[in-house]
């Protein structure tokens, strides 16, 4: 907690001082500086003293400690005011700004970088790529702008020589979505001239000392700043910046931001052009002026992609249009040529800097923003602008810079001191008025129309004839002689610190500053010959051409006189103040402890002067007497009504004020508030923090309650919807089922009268719920259809039908032809047509065997070619009955050679071809191998299928056992007397009859080729 810091560190908030005196203020400021406490509060204002050393108070742990915390919960820090501005923006959707002020060298630029670093660190927790890209560009832009806009001065190694105001845009989530940078009054005179001990802009030294040898050669440069007139003054000056590493960082930053390689090259080509311009010399031969040496012109022409003759012409001549439209060329004097060269160099750098800023803006601007889709777009502005400057020689730039600081001080007075007191009076709050210095009189001295210094300068610039700086000073002395804050040597002859016809002095809020009037008018006119503008516009380099759009005007075109530099600057500062005035401000007041850049020295007189002109003591008095927080009753009630039982969810009291009083009374800080006409005023942040803590505790509970109610409503709605869906689905499913039944009924209503009993009728596609039912129905119809077919078969044919069905099932479609299309005779040996010569003998033997062996039925009989284990193949008769299988000798009246019981057989094997080979397998592994022979009835008929069907039907239907049938695509595998044999089939040309032949591992069935 800030107020719990040890007493050895002094008071962390100047409001807590025992007495508000300059002595106590300075004593506390010095003690904290010596103890390494560089930040101190004045309420919500942070006073920052430059430590002139690196401090370990900016790491990730420190950022985490300040994230989301109230101002007084941690010791004073820049991060605290950054977080306060961010929370105000996010909570109340208010635009905020952080104004960093103080004199040169007080640490404003570093403070702005730490503020940007903090905002970048606490946003975009989800690491969205587009937000990270914006953050990277915002952070890297600091590096680039410092290189091109900062320089070493006698008071500061990294002094901002331009003003910068950056707006950061945030979406409704509080994540940065873009930004915009405004730059103010670049000190371009520094490009051509610096005071003793100072340097030109960092970018020149970074290029010369950090650029590669190849790069410098391509730009016609050497790596020594002392070689060039514009950088010679700072070449030997010691600085804390490393130009070589800084150059690498800037090149990397330009790439990260999104500059193309061509754009980066163009930027450094312009810097090289400026350096070469500075070394350009002119000589006069009495009649005309010439450039010394042609090499410089050639190099500048190469770097700017322009014509060498045009470059020389622009430097040596000025094109002027007469009143009659005639165009003449006027040659320069040596002095005019030097002036034009320097003006051109300054303009080149100014245009380059402005283009870099606009290029960065084009990359980080908020694109495709739609308030309806993306919510309110809020802004945090960060102002880092040059501080109050008092040099040995103060010129036009210091005059503008100090005017800017007067305007910012006026804004501070307006917002912090006067508006605060005016609001107390307006709201009827008892208040003791506090005196403070209002610098409006100094602002009027500079900017008042017709009477102010800027108006006098503009009038002098517009006057026809030779008006000098001295004449302008005389006019100022005449018009401003009575002004209490203006004086000169003419008005005060006894003051020998000023020179006649050269100096004037303004008594600023920060102290007296003596200005040298020399060069005021030229700098205010900001004259640049039109020839240079046309030269650059006609460049083949598109980047350079883009920087000079005014170069397209013809010399004869009449244009409106441009505004002067001072007026342009005044207008931009007025716009800046208006922009800051409409935002909720947070202040960082920077103090410079000494002029020696020492980390231990505290110059009391120097610091007291800064405290006085920054109005910090008056700020403490207003803060002690005033209130830290104020809010309209309606908004206060809206935010904190959930913390009081009498106001949640809605109060029933007479007014919002009464409801607010109920909240305050319930929390017991009646003595810490005051009630205005329309607002509640809270004196200390602690009371507000108590309310914020309780609100933060209640919000999750309220959110859970709302979620519960809303989820319940959603669940009930979803339930009703699901019930309706299921009801609709049920009705639809029932309809689909019925529709399917109706369709089936319609298609199959007449199947009994159809010739094919409905076999050709196509079944309708069933719904998913009836898929199983559909399969069963189809199966039932097929069975019914089969029953109808079977019913029409005569009983005498049933035995054949059953045998064919059995064969169909056993062969499973693997044998090509198995005789299904013909009538099966079964007992071919007894058939007179098939065996006309031997049938009578067989019938007699068959009767004898039937009587002897008592069999009932002949399953199959026919001729066959049989082979035994001795490779003897002979023609035999085969008789298969329901009890035995007989091997008969047809040549001996069908004598029985062998009789085997049918039970001994376990299966049979056939091939998948058209051959008639059959192997009957026995349980004793002594199989019977034969090849069926065709009779005279059907010479080419297949009888294998008939044999298979007869045996399979008998075994499965009569004996109720399975009789396996194996259809072999290659060789049959059998056993003879327990030994395995393999029988293959070969087609042989010239073979007349089918016969067996012994092979290495069994037998080969030789089949005739035809």
């Amino acid at each position: 907690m800030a107020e719990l810091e040890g007493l050895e560190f002094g008071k962390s908030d100047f409001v807590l001082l025992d007495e508000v005196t300059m002595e106590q203020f300075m004593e506390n400021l010095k003690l904290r500086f010596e103890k390494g406490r560089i930040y101190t509060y004045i309420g919500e204002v942070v006073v920052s003293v430059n430590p002139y050393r690196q401090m370990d108070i900016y790491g990730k742990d420190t950022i985490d400690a300040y994230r989301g915390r109230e101002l007084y919960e941690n010791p004073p820090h820049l991060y605290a005011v950054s977080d306060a501005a961010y929370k105000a923006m996010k909570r109340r959707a208010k635009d905020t700004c952080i104004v960093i002020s103080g004199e040169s060298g007080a640490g404003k630029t570093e403070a702005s970088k730490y503020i940007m670093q903090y905002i970048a660190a606490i946003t975009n927790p989800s690491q969205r790529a587009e937000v990270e890209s914006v953050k990277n560009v915002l952070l890297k832009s600091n590096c680039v702008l410092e290189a091109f806009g900062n320089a070493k001065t006698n008071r500061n190694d990294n002094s901002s020589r331009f003003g910068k105001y950056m707006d950061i845009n945030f979406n409704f989530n509080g994540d940065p979505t873009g930004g915009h940078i405004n730059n103010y009054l670049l000190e371009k005179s520094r490009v051509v001239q610096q005071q003793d001990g100072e340097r030109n802009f960092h970018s020149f030294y970074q290029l010369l000392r950090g650029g590669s040898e190849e790069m410098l050669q391509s730009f016609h440069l050497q790596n020594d700043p002392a070689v060039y007139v514009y950088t010679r003054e700072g070449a030997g000056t010691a600085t804390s910046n490393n130009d070589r590493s800084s150059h690498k960082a800037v090149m990397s930053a330009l790439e990260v931001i999104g500059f193309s390689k061509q754009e980066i090259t163009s930027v450094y080509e312009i810097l090289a052009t400026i350096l070469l311009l500075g070394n350009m010399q002119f000589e006069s031969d009495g009649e005309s002026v010439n450039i010394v040496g042609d090499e410089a012109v050639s190099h500048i022409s190469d770097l700017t992609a322009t014509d060498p003759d045009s470059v020389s012409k622009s430097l040596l001549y000025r094109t002027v249009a007469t009143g009659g439209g005639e165009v003449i060329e006027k040659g320069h004097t040596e002095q005019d040529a030097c002036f034009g060269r320097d003006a051109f160099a300054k303009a080149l750098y100014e245009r380059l800097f402005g283009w870099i800023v606009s290029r960065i803006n084009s990359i980080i601007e908020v694109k495709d923003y739609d308030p309806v889709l993306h919510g309110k777009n809020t802004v945090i502005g960060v102002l880092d602008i040059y501080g109050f400057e008092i040099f040995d020689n103060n010129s036009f730039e210091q005059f503008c810079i100090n005017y800017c600081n007067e305007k910012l001080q006026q804004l501070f007075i307006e917002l912090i001191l006067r508006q605060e007191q005016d609001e107390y009076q307006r709201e009827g709050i008892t208040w003791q008025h506090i005196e403070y210095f209002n610098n409006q009189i100094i602002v009027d001295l500079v900017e008042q129309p017709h009477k102010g210094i800027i108006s006098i300068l503009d009038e002098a610039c517009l006057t026809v004839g030779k008006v000098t700086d001295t004449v302008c000073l005389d006019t100022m002395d005449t018009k401003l002689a009575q002004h209490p804050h203006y004086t000169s040597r003419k008005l005060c002859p006894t003051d020998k610190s000023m020179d006649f016809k050269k100096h004037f002095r303004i008594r600023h809020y920060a102290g007296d500053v003596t200005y040298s009037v020399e060069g005021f008018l030229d700098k205010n006119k900001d004259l640049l010959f039109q020839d240079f503008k046309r030269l650059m516009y006609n460049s083949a380099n598109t980047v350079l051409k883009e920087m000079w759009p005014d170069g397209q005007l013809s010399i004869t075109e009449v244009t409106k006189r441009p505004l002067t530099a001072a007026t342009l600057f005044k207008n931009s500062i007025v716009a800046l103040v208006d922009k800051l005035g409409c935002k909720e401000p947070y202040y960082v007041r920077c103090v410079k402890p000494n002029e020696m850049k020492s980390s231990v020295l505290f110059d009391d007189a120097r610091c007291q002067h800064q405290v006085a002109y920054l109005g910090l003591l008056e700020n403490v008095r207003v803060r002690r007497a005033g209130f830290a927080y104020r809010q309209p009753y309606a908004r206060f009630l809206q935010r904190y009504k959930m913390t009081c039982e009498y106001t949640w969810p809605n109060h029933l009291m007479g007014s919002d004020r009464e409801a607010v009083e109920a909240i305050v009374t319930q929390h017991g800080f009646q003595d810490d508030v005051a009630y205005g006409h329309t607002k509640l005023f809270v004196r200390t942040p602690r009371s507000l923090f108590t309310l914020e803590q309780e609100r933060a505790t209640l919000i999750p509970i309220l959110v859970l309650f709302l979620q519960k109610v809303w989820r319940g409503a959603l669940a009930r709605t979803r339930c009703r919807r699901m019930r309706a869906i299921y009801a609709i689905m049920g009705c639809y499913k029932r309809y689909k089922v019925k529709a399917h039944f109706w369709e089936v009924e319609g298609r199959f209503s007449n199947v009994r009268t159809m010739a094919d009993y409905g076999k050709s009728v196509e079944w309708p596609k069933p719904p998913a719920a009836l898929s199983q039912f559909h399969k069963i129905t189809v199966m039932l119809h097929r069975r019914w259809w089969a029953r109808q077919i079977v019913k029409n078969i005569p009983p005498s044919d049933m035995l054949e039908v059953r045998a064919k069905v059995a064969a169909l099932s056993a062969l499973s479609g693997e044998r090509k032809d198995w005789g299904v299309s013909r009538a099966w005779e079964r007992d071919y040996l007894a058939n007179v047509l098939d065996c006309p010569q031997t049938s009578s003998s067989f019938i007699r033997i068959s009767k004898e065997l039937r009587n002897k062996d008592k069999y009932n039925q002949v399953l199959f009989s026919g001729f066959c070619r049989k082979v035994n284990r001795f490779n003897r193949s002979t023609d035999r008769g085969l008789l298969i009955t329901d009890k035995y299988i007989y091997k008969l000798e047809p040549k001996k009246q069908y004598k029985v050679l062998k009789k085997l019981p049918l039970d001994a057989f376990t299966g049979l094997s056939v091939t998948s071809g058209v051959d008639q080979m059959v192997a009957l397998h026995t349980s004793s592994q002594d199989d019977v191998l034969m090849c069926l022979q065709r009779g005279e009835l059907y010479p080419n008929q297949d009888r294998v299928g008939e044999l298979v069907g007869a045996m399979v039907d008998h075994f499965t239907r009569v004996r109720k056992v399975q009789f396996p049938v194996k259809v072999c695509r290659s060789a049959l595998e059998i056993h003879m007397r327990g030994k395995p044999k393999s029988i293959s089939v070969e087609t042989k040309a010239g073979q007349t009859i089918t016969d067996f032949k012994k092979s290495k591992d069994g037998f080969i069935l030789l089949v005739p080729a035809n």
Side-chain angles (χ1 to χ4, degrees):
M1 302 286 284
E3 58 266 38
L4 296 183
E5 270 191 325
L7 292 176
E8 70 272 16
F9 300 118
K11 302 288 177 62
S12 60
D13 194 329
F14 286 113
V15 175
L16 303 175
L17 292 174
D18 297 329
E19 293 181 35
V20 184
T21 63
M22 180 60 79
E23 291 74 19
Q24 283 214 10
F25 190 101
M26 293 304 300
E27 184 181 327
N28 190 58
L29 188 67
K30 183 177 182 180
L31 174 62
R32 290 184 64 78
F33 174 75
E34 290 171 347
K35 295 289 186 181
R37 298 297 192 268
I38 62 171
Y39 299 120
T40 314
Y41 289 141
I42 303 176
E44 291 185 349
V45 175
V46 174
V47 179
S48 169
V49 183
N50 192 340
Y52 285 118
R53 59 189 170 95
Q54 292 294 325
M55 302 194 69
D56 188 22
I57 55 172
Y58 303 104
K60 183 179 183 301
D61 292 341
T62 310
I63 290 173
D64 292 339
Y66 282 85
R67 187 200 306 262
R69 314 304 296 181
E70 297 300 325
L71 267 175
Y72 61 85
E73 285 190 84
N74 287 305
H77 201 292
L78 280 175
Y79 290 167
V81 75
S82 306
D83 197 77
Y86 180 73
K87 279 192 305 223
M89 179 274 299
K90 194 173 180 183
R91 284 178 181 173
R92 304 199 296 275
K94 287 200 69 172
D95 291 344
T96 60
C97 64
I98 301 173
V99 180
I100 309 168
S101 58
E103 65 179 60
S104 179
K108 300 183 301 300
T109 300
E110 290 301 309
S112 73
K113 286 196 283 190
Y114 287 129
I115 289 169
M116 293 289 295
Q117 177 194 62
Y118 180 81
I119 292 172
I122 64 171
T123 53
N124 194 32
S126 59
Q127 296 293 301
R128 286 171 51 214
E130 63 272 22
V131 178
E132 284 301 302
S133 174
V134 170
K135 283 162 53 173
N136 282 338
V137 173
L138 290 173
L139 291 174
K140 293 294 183 182
S141 66
N142 278 329
C143 173
V144 175
L145 295 178
E146 275 190 29
F148 289 89
N150 288 23
K152 180 193 182 305
T153 67
N154 289 320
R155 306 180 71 183
N156 185 359
D157 281 0
N158 189 33
S159 178
S160 296
R161 308 318 300 161
F162 73 107
K164 179 180 73 175
Y165 174 73
M166 180 184 286
D167 267 336
I168 309 170
N169 298 83
F170 294 84
N171 61 15
F172 69 97
N173 282 331
D175 291 331
T177 56
H180 187 84
I181 300 170
N182 291 88
N183 63 298
Y184 302 94
L185 190 70
L186 179 74
E187 188 191 19
K188 61 182 177 181
S189 62
R190 181 170 293 272
V191 173
V192 299
Q193 185 179 10
Q194 307 91 41
Q195 295 192 30
D196 293 345
E198 296 192 349
R199 298 206 318 173
N200 207 325
F201 290 100
H202 294 326
S203 55
F204 292 108
Y205 302 95
Q206 290 173 3
L207 170 62
L208 294 174
R209 288 179 172 149
S212 66
E213 188 175 340
E214 182 183 353
M215 174 189 275
L216 293 176
Q217 282 181 356
S218 68
F219 295 156
H220 313 293
L221 296 176
Q222 302 174 42
N223 61 356
D224 182 8
V227 172
Y228 303 99
V229 173
Y230 288 164
T231 55
R232 190 172 294 159
E233 177 62 41
T237 304
T239 176
S240 57
N241 298 318
N242 185 315
D243 294 319
R244 187 171 284 104
S245 61
S246 296
H247 177 70
K248 289 181 182 177
V250 171
M251 293 286 283
S252 171
L254 288 168
E255 289 181 10
V256 170
I257 290 170
F259 284 75
S260 67
K261 284 192 174 0
Q262 183 200 349
E263 289 172 335
I264 295 172
T265 302
S266 297
V267 166
Y268 286 105
E269 283 175 344
I270 293 170
L271 292 183
T273 301
I274 293 169
L275 290 171
L276 295 176
L277 276 172
N279 281 17
M280 187 172 284
Q281 300 295 319
F282 302 95
E283 60 182 6
S284 174
D285 58 5
E287 294 183 1
S288 62
V289 176
N290 297 305
I291 299 170
V292 178
D294 296 330
E295 192 177 43
V297 173
S298 172
H299 290 165
I300 290 171
S301 166
D302 177 44
L303 291 169
T304 57
T306 53
D307 178 55
D309 292 339
S310 300
V311 174
S312 298
K313 194 173 178 182
S314 300
L315 289 164
L316 298 176
Y317 297 92
R318 179 184 178 188
T319 308
V320 181
T322 63
E326 185 183 355
V327 178
I328 60 172
E329 289 183 354
K330 179 183 177 184
H332 286 318
T333 64
E334 190 173 338
Q335 183 181 358
D336 288 343
C338 290
F339 172 83
R341 174 201 64 198
D342 289 346
F344 183 34
K346 290 188 289 185
L348 272 172
Y349 197 80
E350 183 184 39
R351 299 280 180 119
L352 169 64
F353 187 76
W355 178 83
I356 289 173
V357 172
S358 64
R359 184 74 180 86
I360 294 172
N361 284 335
S362 70
I363 293 167
I364 62 175
E365 67 180 352
V366 180
K367 299 174 181 68
D368 303 324
Y369 172 70
D370 184 349
V372 177
L373 293 176
H374 305 114
K376 181 173 171 59
N377 182 4
T378 46
V379 169
I380 292 180
V382 180
L383 177 66
D384 169 23
I385 205 160
Y386 15 58
F388 195 84
E389 293 187 345
I390 308 175
F391 295 151
D392 294 334
N393 180 31
N394 300 290
S395 187
F396 179 77
E397 289 82 9
Q398 281 67 47
F399 170 75
C400 292
I401 287 170
N402 293 339
Y403 159 67
C404 169
N405 279 270
E406 289 285 358
K407 289 292 287 184
L408 293 176
Q409 177 67 8
Q410 185 187 33
L411 177 70
F412 180 77
I413 291 168
E414 182 77 19
L415 295 177
I416 300 297
L417 304 177
R418 195 179 82 201
Q419 278 189 8
E420 182 122 351
Q421 298 193 80
D422 289 350
E423 185 173 36
Y424 294 146
Q425 292 175 358
R426 191 168 55 250
E427 289 287 329
I429 303 295
T430 305
W431 173 259
Q432 182 180 356
H433 187 74
I434 292 171
E435 294 296 329
Y436 57 88
F437 171 68
N438 190 338
N439 71 332
Q440 182 64 47
I441 189 172
I442 303 173
V443 173
D444 289 343
L445 168 65
V446 177
E447 70 175 18
Q448 189 174 15
H450 310 300
K451 295 180 181 179
I453 293 175
I454 291 178
S455 293
I456 294 170
L457 287 172
D458 287 355
E459 189 177 332
C461 291
L462 296 174
T463 303
V464 179
K466 192 69 174 176
V467 179
T468 63
D469 295 321
T470 306
V471 173
C472 181
L473 178 60
D474 288 338
T475 306
M476 287 164 56
D477 289 342
T478 303
K479 290 190 175 184
L480 303 172
Q482 304 304 316
H483 199 287
H485 288 267
Y486 175 87
T487 186
S488 67
R489 184 68 186 272
K490 181 179 178 180
L491 298 178
C492 187
T494 58
D495 189 346
K496 295 184 179 180
S497 61
M498 293 184 287
D499 294 341
F500 283 107
K501 298 186 178 183
K502 181 178 180 182
H503 292 135
F504 68 93
R505 180 177 295 150
I506 296 177
R507 189 179 301 158
H508 287 284
Y509 78 96
D512 295 351
V513 182
T514 302
Y515 298 98
S516 170
V517 79
E518 290 178 355
F520 256 60
L521 290 183
D522 284 341
K523 291 177 179 178
N524 191 38
K525 288 178 185 176
D526 197 19
L527 181 63
L528 180 68
F529 300 138
Q530 190 74 18
D531 303 73
F532 291 120
K533 297 178 183 178
R534 284 194 296 276
L535 175 69
M536 292 296 96
Y537 180 76
N538 291 319
S539 167
N541 185 327
T542 55
V543 176
L544 189 58
K545 183 174 183 175
E546 187 184 333
M547 299 179 192
W548 298 83
D550 46 347
Q552 63 183 314
L553 296 174
S554 169
I555 188 64
T556 56
E557 284 188 60
V558 179
T559 57
K560 188 178 179 181
R561 184 185 291 273
L563 295 174
T564 61
T567 300
L568 286 170
F569 182 67
K570 181 191 75 172
N571 293 343
S572 66
I573 293 301
V574 169
L576 171 65
V577 170
D578 290 343
K579 189 179 288 187
L580 295 174
C582 66
K583 294 178 171 62
E584 186 172 313
Y586 291 83
Y587 283 92
V588 179
R589 310 290 261 172
C590 297
V591 175
K592 187 176 183 179
N594 59 75
E595 292 290 348
M596 311 302 294
K597 302 174 188 174
S598 168
S599 61
V600 294
L601 183 61
F602 187 87
D603 187 334
D604 290 271
R606 190 82 187 78
C607 293
Q608 184 170 328
H609 174 68
Q610 294 173 74
V611 168
Y613 77 66
L614 288 172
L616 299 184
L617 214 57
E618 290 85 350
N619 194 359
V620 175
R621 291 194 180 103
V622 170
R623 196 71 191 184
R624 274 173 71 111
F627 298 86
Y629 176 82
R630 72 287 318 272
Q631 192 72 276
Y633 292 125
R635 290 193 63 179
F636 182 90
L637 187 63
Q638 181 66 29
R639 185 162 185 82
Y640 300 113
K641 64 181 180 178
M642 71 285 298
T643 64
C644 177
E645 57 183 320
Y646 303 111
T647 56
W648 177 257
N650 293 300
H651 70 86
L652 300 174
M653 301 176 191
S655 65
D656 286 346
R657 173 173 172 165
E658 291 179 36
V660 170
E661 286 182 11
I663 295 173
V664 170
T665 303
Q666 178 165 319
H667 290 87
F669 49 82
Q670 304 92 311
D671 297 335
D672 199 39
V673 302
Y675 298 97
H677 298 312
T678 62
K679 293 181 180 179
L680 174 72
F681 291 80
V682 183
R683 191 176 301 279
T684 63
R686 176 169 291 284
S687 300
L688 192 67
F689 181 58
T690 303
L691 283 172
E692 281 291 341
Q693 274 189 319
E694 187 164 346
R695 182 180 183 274
T697 305
L698 290 171
I699 286 293
I701 299 170
L702 295 175
V703 168
L704 285 174
F705 174 74
L706 291 173
Q707 285 179 339
K708 181 183 75 172
V709 173
W710 178 240
R711 283 173 178 164
L714 285 177
R716 286 187 288 274
T717 303
R718 198 177 296 118
C719 182
R720 287 193 293 269
R721 188 177 297 142
M722 290 302 293
R723 284 176 178 168
I725 290 170
Y726 281 125
I728 293 169
M729 285 172 60
C731 291
Y732 183 70
K733 283 180 179 178
R734 285 193 293 275
Y735 161 75
K736 290 292 285 182
V737 168
K738 290 178 181 178
H740 181 69
F741 288 159
W742 296 331
E743 182 68 20
V744 171
E745 183 183 5
R747 292 189 184 189
F748 288 88
S749 58
N750 298 319
V751 291
R752 290 180 183 275
T753 60
M754 291 181 181
D756 62 352
Y757 299 104
K759 184 179 179 181
S760 61
V761 175
E762 184 180 354
W763 285 83
K765 185 178 179 180
L770 291 179
S771 58
Q772 189 66 26
F773 172 81
H774 175 72
K775 292 177 183 177
I776 296 171
T777 309
V778 171
M779 183 60 68
L780 287 173
H781 174 258
R782 284 176 180 172
R783 288 184 176 181
W784 175 83
W785 172 83
R787 179 64 181 164
Q788 296 304 113
I789 297 298
V790 169
K791 275 194 332 186
N792 296 328
I793 299 174
S796 60
D797 293 342
M798 282 305 296
L799 190 63
E800 181 183 345
V801 170
R802 287 196 184 98
K804 286 183 177 181
V805 170
L808 176 66
S809 176
L811 296 174
S812 304
E814 293 188 42
R815 189 169 171 90
K816 297 176 184 177
D817 180 23
W818 49 277
V820 66
S821 59
R822 64 174 179 82
W824 285 1
E825 299 294 335
R826 286 193 178 230
D827 195 359
Y828 289 98
L829 293 178
N831 191 315
V832 176
L833 296 176
D834 197 66
C835 301
Q837 297 175 359
T838 61
S839 60
S840 57
S841 301
F842 176 76
I843 293 171
R844 178 176 53 78
I845 293 299
S846 177
K847 286 181 180 179
E848 291 176 1
L849 291 175
R850 183 188 299 268
N851 294 331
K852 178 182 176 184
D853 294 334
K854 308 296 183 186
Y855 66 80
N856 299 317
Q857 182 185 6
V858 175
L859 301 181
F860 183 86
S861 70
F863 291 113
C864 67
R865 186 76 171 172
K866 184 184 174 301
V867 64
N868 62 15
R869 58 195 174 93
F870 303 112
N871 193 26
R872 287 181 59 193
S873 59
T874 55
D875 291 331
R876 293 285 183 256
L878 174 67
L879 173 61
I880 303 174
T881 69
D882 57 355
K883 288 188 178 182
Y884 298 99
I885 293 181
Y886 300 92
K887 181 171 70 172
L888 308 174
E889 172 59 78
K891 294 178 181 179
K892 294 182 180 181
Q893 300 295 317
Y894 290 104
K895 177 183 176 182
V896 177
L897 299 178
K898 194 172 185 178
K899 180 178 75 172
L900 294 172
L902 195 61
D903 293 341
F905 292 90
T906 58
L908 63 82
S909 294
V910 296
T911 67
S912 58
V914 296
D915 59 86
Q916 301 297 298
M917 183 168 58
V918 178
L920 296 172
H921 304 295
T922 65
S923 57
S924 61
Q925 290 196 337
D926 190 13
D927 300 340
V928 178
L929 178 63
M930 70 189 83
C931 178
L932 299 181
Q933 295 176 333
R934 301 177 178 95
E936 296 182 16
L937 182 61
Y938 300 107
N940 296 318
Q941 68 183 196
D942 184 284
R943 293 183 179 178
V944 170
E946 188 172 353
L947 172 62
V948 170
M951 293 194 71
V952 171
D953 177 56
H954 176 75
F955 272 87
T956 56
R957 189 170 54 82
V958 178
R959 294 176 177 265
K960 308 295 184 187
V961 294
Q962 293 296 318
F963 191 72
V965 176
K966 185 176 182 182
V967 181
C968 301
R969 293 186 178 274
S970 55
L972 297 184
E973 301 295 333
I974 65 171
H975 290 81
M976 286 186 172
R977 295 292 176 95
K979 293 182 180 180
K981 303 284 184 182
S982 178
I983 299 90
S984 58
V985 179
E986 286 185 9
T987 302
K988 185 178 179 183
Q991 183 78 18
T992 56
I993 61 169
T994 303
D995 201 359
F996 290 97
K997 175 186 174 185
K998 184 174 177 61
S999 68
K1000 183 178 179 181
D1001 53 356
F1003 302 97
I1004 299 173
L1005 179 65
L1006 299 175
V1007 180
N1010 56 355

